[in-house]
């Protein structure tokens, strides 16, 4: 399927380097993707020795129960995410979904829920990139896609330039689950996880509505800057 999309939309050229390719990415660019290794904290998907729960998640357990991420948010993965998110390159959604789906064996959930956009942001952008990725993940895992299970109740400034405390305040009370989902196991899909503030607030909202387990499925994880 991806090979056919690559030939149809990009004329047999790689989306990143524009060299000859049978799919959206050539073999060299695919090999350059910053895939995450196995030694990650199962709660937040940051590096942790032997893949154990990290100290932060032990001392301050997040509302979500697990995080699965495919890539580090670094070149050239960041280019793919940004082109989908801000430039309408919707053909990248299946590619990013496929990369993430490869990390999800045995992760059974009842619903796949994309992080919702506000009505204002959706009108401005014209699509929800998390929903486009979630469509592929729902098909790949045979799980029910539930884009209306949770809603964003107000528009919020972009999180990108905010500090962690500002991010937490920015999304506080920004989501609402309009129905009881007692005992449900839910996967929340997003393109990028940075501080986790948005996913934390959404998980807390879903659990107040009765969800028993909430896991994050994210394409790219921002890693701490080394100094």
């Amino acid at each position: 399927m991806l090979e056919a999309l690559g030939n149809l939309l990009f004329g047999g050229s790689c989306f990143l380097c524009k060299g000859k390719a049978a799919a959206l990415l050539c073999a060299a660019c695919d090999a350059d993707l910053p895939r995450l290794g196995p030694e990650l904290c199962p709660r937040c998907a940051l590096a942790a020795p032997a893949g154990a729960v990290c100290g932060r998640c032990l001392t301050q357990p997040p509302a979500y129960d697990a995080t699965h991420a495919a890539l580090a948010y670094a070149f050239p993965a960041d280019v793919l995410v940004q082109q989908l998110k801000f430039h309408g390159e919707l053909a990248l959604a299946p590619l990013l979904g496929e990369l993430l789906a490869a990390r999800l064996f045995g992760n059974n959930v009842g619903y796949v829920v994309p992080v919702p956009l506000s009505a204002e942001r959706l009108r401005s952008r014209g699509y929800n990139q998390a929903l486009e990725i979630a469509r592929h993940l729902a098909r790949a895992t045979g799980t029910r896609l539930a884009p209306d299970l949770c809603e964003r109740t107000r528009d919020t400034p972009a999180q990108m330039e905010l500090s962690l405390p500002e991010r937490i305040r920015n999304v506080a009370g920004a989501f609402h689950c309009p129905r009881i989902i007692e005992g449900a196991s839910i996967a929340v899909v997003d393109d990028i996880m940075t501080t986790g503030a948005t996913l934390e607030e959404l998980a807390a909202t879903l659990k107040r509505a009765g969800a028993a387990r909430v896991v994050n499925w994210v394409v790219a994880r921002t890693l701490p800057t080394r100094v």
Side-chain angles (χ1 to χ4, degrees):
M1 178 179 176
L2 291 180
E3 180 174 346
L5 275 173
N7 288 328
L8 177 62
L9 298 175
F10 301 107
S13 62
C14 174
F15 183 83
L16 289 171
C17 72
K18 309 307 178 186
K20 186 176 181 181
L24 293 183
L25 299 183
C26 67
C29 286
D30 180 80
D32 282 343
L33 290 176
R35 290 173 169 85
L36 292 172
E39 293 195 348
L40 303 175
C41 170
R43 294 292 289 269
C44 69
L46 292 180
V53 177
C54 69
R56 180 181 174 184
C57 288
L58 284 172
T59 56
Q60 297 178 307
Y64 48 81
D65 298 282
T67 299
H68 303 279
L71 307 169
Y73 188 61
F75 183 81
D78 55 353
V79 175
L80 300 176
V81 171
Q82 291 168 17
Q83 287 295 315
L84 169 61
K85 186 169 188 174
F86 299 117
H87 301 285
E89 296 287 359
L90 298 183
L92 293 172
L95 169 65
L96 297 177
E98 184 174 271
L99 290 167
L100 180 50
R103 310 275 297 203
L104 300 177
F105 293 113
N107 288 282
N108 297 319
V109 295
Y111 301 94
V112 173
V113 177
V115 172
L117 294 181
S118 67
E120 293 86 348
R121 188 69 57 84
L122 186 58
R123 281 196 297 269
S124 173
R125 187 172 296 167
Y127 62 95
N128 179 352
Q129 75 282 352
L131 173 57
E132 298 307 314
I133 296 167
R135 292 186 200 280
H136 180 82
L137 289 169
R139 288 193 297 269
T141 60
T143 309
R144 180 179 176 184
L145 179 64
D148 300 322
L149 192 146
C150 199
E151 59 191 23
R152 199 162 195 140
T153 57
R154 60 183 173 84
D155 195 30
T156 56
Q159 298 274 76
M160 192 177 303
E161 302 299 327
L162 303 180
S163 67
L164 176 56
E166 290 171 334
R167 286 171 183 247
I168 293 171
R169 290 194 296 270
N170 189 41
V171 296
F175 301 105
H176 172 64
C177 188
R179 67 188 220 236
I180 301 300
I181 49 175
E182 198 67 40
S185 180
I186 295 170
V188 173
V189 176
D190 208 359
D191 54 348
I192 311 167
M193 181 178 182
T194 303
T195 64
T198 299
L199 293 165
E200 170 74 14
E201 182 67 22
L202 185 48
T205 300
L206 290 166
K207 288 197 169 179
R208 285 194 295 269
R213 180 174 172 81
V214 178
V215 301
N216 302 322
W217 290 357
V218 296
V219 172
R221 183 66 162 104
T222 299
L223 304 182
T225 301
R226 294 183 178 180
V227 294

